[in-house]
Amino acid sequence: GQNIDQPTEMTATEGAIVQINCTYQTSGFNGLFWYQQHAGEAPTFLSYNVLDGLEEKGRFSSFLSRSKGYSYLLLKELQMKDSASYLCAVTDSNYQLIWGAGTKLIIKP
Amino acid sequence: GAVVSQHPSRVICKSGTSVKIECRSLDFQATTMFWYRQFPKKSLMLMATSNEGSKATYEQGVEKDKFLINHASLTLSTLTVTSAHPEDSSFYICSGAGSSDYEQYFGPGTRLTVT
C-alpha cells in the first residue's frame, strides 16, 4: 500500500534549527509538498519538490531524494509562530495526493 | 490513522453540466469537513467548511450557488459543481475533522476537467 511517515511531534527551541523528516512509499511519484497548518486554519503551502536536491526559501528549506523516498523540511532561526503542524504530501502516478499524518512542532522559548 | 476517501478520483465533464464529488471518512466520524481547491503546485484555497447537519460556511469569493456542499452524515460530504465552466477545472481536496480534535485528515483529491 501507499504510505507516508513523519514524526508525530517534535520540540525545538526558539532561534534553533529543526529538521522534519518524511519518508514515502507510493505507486509512482510526481512531486512532494510541504504544508504548514496552524490549529483551526487552512494549510499554507511551503514547498514543492519534484527533482532531487535542496530548495531554499528564506528560513525554510526542503530536500528531496527520490531514490531513497525521503524528504525533509528544515526550519532555521525558529520563531514562536512556527509552532504548527507540518504536513508532507506526495503526488502519486495517478496524481492523487497521499498525505502524511503531520508533525506537530512545538517551539519553546 | 484516519482515512478519508474521495470519489471520483478524476472526472471530465462538459461545460454547463454539473458534477458531484463525494468525500467520505472511512474510520472516524467527521463532525466538520472542509473543501479545498488546489492550484497547480501551489496553495490550498479553503472553499468552505461544513458541519454535519447544518449549512456550509463559504469563504469570501466562493459562490455558494455554484459550489453546493451537503454534509448529510458524519461520514459523507458532497461538493457539487453546478453549471461547470473550464475555469472550474482544478484539483479539489476535502478533509475531515472529528469532534475530539481539530486535526484534519485529508483526502486524495479529485481532478476535475471541464471541456
Side-chain angles (χ1 to χ4, degrees):
Chain A
Q2 308 206 88
N3 190 57
I4 293 190
D5 286 316
Q6 51 181 130
T8 304
E9 187 174 297
M10 298 181 71
T11 302
T13 305
E14 190 177 16
I17 298 173
V18 71
Q19 177 174 311
I20 302 174
N21 296 324
C22 171
T23 58
Y24 62 90
Q25 296 170 313
T26 58
S27 55
F29 177 85
N30 278 300
L32 185 145
F33 293 86
W34 282 98
Y35 289 93
Q36 178 193 62
Q37 186 175 31
H38 287 98
E41 297 181 13
T44 302
F45 170 80
L46 292 178
S47 67
Y48 175 72
N49 294 65
V50 66
L51 299 176
D52 290 349
L54 184 69
E55 299 235 355
E56 299 184 72
K57 194 183 295 184
R59 294 189 299 115
F60 292 10
S61 302
S62 57
F63 171 83
L64 174 68
S65 169
R66 288 172 296 171
S67 62
K68 295 181 179 179
Y70 168 69
S71 172
Y72 67 72
L73 179 70
L74 191 71
L75 292 76
K76 302 177 184 176
E77 301 169 18
L78 286 170
Q79 301 174 10
M80 297 302 294
K81 67 178 183 179
D82 297 330
S83 292
S85 284
Y86 292 84
L87 301 164
C88 173
V90 170
T91 305
D92 68 9
S93 57
N94 293 318
Y95 292 93
Q96 294 280 278
L97 276 170
I98 314 301
W99 294 87
T103 298
K104 183 177 181 180
L105 178 63
I106 299 169
I107 309 297
K108 295 185 175 179
Chain B
V3 178
V4 173
S5 70
Q6 285 183 237
H7 177 79
S9 58
R10 58 181 66 185
V11 57
I12 301 173
C13 70
K14 292 186 177 181
S15 187
T17 62
S18 296
V19 62
K20 181 185 286 187
I21 302 170
E22 292 185 349
C23 175
R24 294 183 184 273
S25 58
L26 299 184
D27 51 2
F28 72 103
Q29 294 185 324
T31 307
T32 306
M33 282 189 168
F34 305 84
W35 285 95
Y36 297 88
R37 183 170 176 174
Q38 185 191 45
F39 295 94
K41 301 182 184 180
K42 290 186 182 297
S43 303
L44 297 182
M45 183 195 80
L46 179 64
M47 299 175 66
T49 302
S50 72
N51 291 299
E52 184 262 341
S54 58
K55 291 184 178 180
T57 301
Y58 290 80
E59 296 299 304
Q60 192 172 14
V62 178
E63 300 176 58
K64 62 180 181 181
D65 294 330
K66 180 169 183 61
F67 298 99
L68 300 178
I69 291 173
N70 184 282
H71 191 169
S73 77
L74 288 171
T75 58
L76 174 65
S77 176
T78 59
L79 167 68
T80 302
V81 183
T82 63
S83 188
H85 289 109
E87 56 265 32
D88 298 326
S89 298
S90 191
F91 197 59
Y92 293 88
I93 300 167
C94 72
S95 70
S99 59
S100 60
D101 56 46
Y102 294 101
E103 192 169 342
Q104 293 181 34
Y105 304 97
F106 289 84
T110 297
R111 179 157 304 283
L112 170 64
T113 303
V114 184
T115 59

